Amino acid sequence: MIRKLCLFLIGLCFLNNGFTAIEARQFASPQQEKNYHTLTQELRCPQCQNNNIADSNATIAVDMRDKVFELLQQGYNKQQVVDYMVARYGNFVTYDPPLTPATAILWLAPLSLILFGILLVWRRNKSSKNTTTMEDKKINNQLSNEEQQRLQRLLNTSPREKQQ
């Protein structure tokens, strides 16, 4: 009984593949079909974000595939179709967006923040070293000869000698 149930469930898993939609499109020429397949591979699905519209089953991807087919039937070339999609959905639909001020900021802002942080740490370390040496010089200048000798003796003695 359990074996039959398992076989039935496995069969249901494979049955799902039979219901997938197959798009049958009639192209005017082999070049137009090639352009269609190239464009659907190059355009990104706005909903899935990491799939092209050929691989995505999202509603918007289906609409975009239909629009690509329609535009190619109207005589648009590949670049005109890409320009149409960019105008409608933004630069995100292409996998290689152009360099604009917004994208330049996205690339340069983290780099500039890292460089600023490194510069800040470097200057802080440099100023703290200068401050300690200046303080040492001030202390040495303020101590009399007798106090400096006493300080040297204390620094040179071992901890055991100090306890006695």
Side-chain angles (χ1 to χ4, degrees):
M1 178 69 176
I2 294 176
R3 187 175 183 180
K4 287 181 183 180
L5 181 63
C6 288
L7 288 174
F8 177 72
L9 291 175
I10 291 172
L12 281 178
C13 291
F14 289 111
L15 185 63
N16 186 26
N17 291 337
F19 293 113
T20 57
I22 299 173
E23 295 178 0
R25 303 193 187 272
Q26 297 295 324
F27 295 96
S29 68
Q31 181 62 39
Q32 192 179 60
E33 184 176 2
K34 181 182 175 189
N35 287 346
Y36 173 80
H37 291 297
T38 303
L39 283 168
T40 57
Q41 292 290 328
E42 290 177 358
L43 293 172
R44 186 186 310 194
C45 176
Q47 183 176 350
C48 302
Q49 296 185 358
N50 214 15
N51 286 353
N52 54 35
I53 62 173
D55 296 336
S56 175
N57 288 328
T59 306
I60 193 165
V62 173
D63 292 343
M64 289 174 74
R65 286 193 301 263
D66 292 340
K67 193 62 178 177
V68 167
F69 178 73
E70 179 185 324
L71 293 174
L72 287 173
Q73 292 295 321
Q74 291 175 6
Y76 283 60
N77 64 25
K78 285 177 19 178
Q79 188 58 46
Q80 289 171 326
V81 173
V82 170
D83 291 342
Y84 176 86
M85 292 295 177
V86 167
R88 186 161 184 186
Y89 298 104
N91 286 324
F92 179 78
V93 295
T94 60
Y95 280 107
D96 189 22
L99 183 64
T100 62
T103 56
I105 289 172
L106 287 175
W107 282 100
L108 296 177
L111 180 63
S112 62
L113 288 174
I114 289 170
L115 291 175
F116 177 73
I118 290 171
L119 179 69
L120 189 67
V121 168
W122 179 71
R123 289 192 61 184
R124 188 169 181 185
N125 283 344
K126 186 178 177 181
S127 67
S128 68
K129 286 180 184 177
N130 288 342
T131 305
T132 56
T133 57
M134 292 293 282
E135 288 175 2
D136 290 344
K137 288 179 182 177
K138 286 180 184 177
I139 290 173
N140 287 341
N141 289 339
Q142 291 176 356
L143 297 177
S144 67
N145 284 340
E146 182 180 315
E147 291 171 331
Q148 286 180 1
Q149 290 173 358
R150 182 172 176 233
L151 179 61
Q152 283 300 323
R153 275 185 276 136
L154 287 173
L155 290 174
N156 292 336
T157 58
S158 66
R160 288 184 188 160
E161 292 175 4
K162 289 181 185 177
Q163 289 176 355
Q164 294 173 355

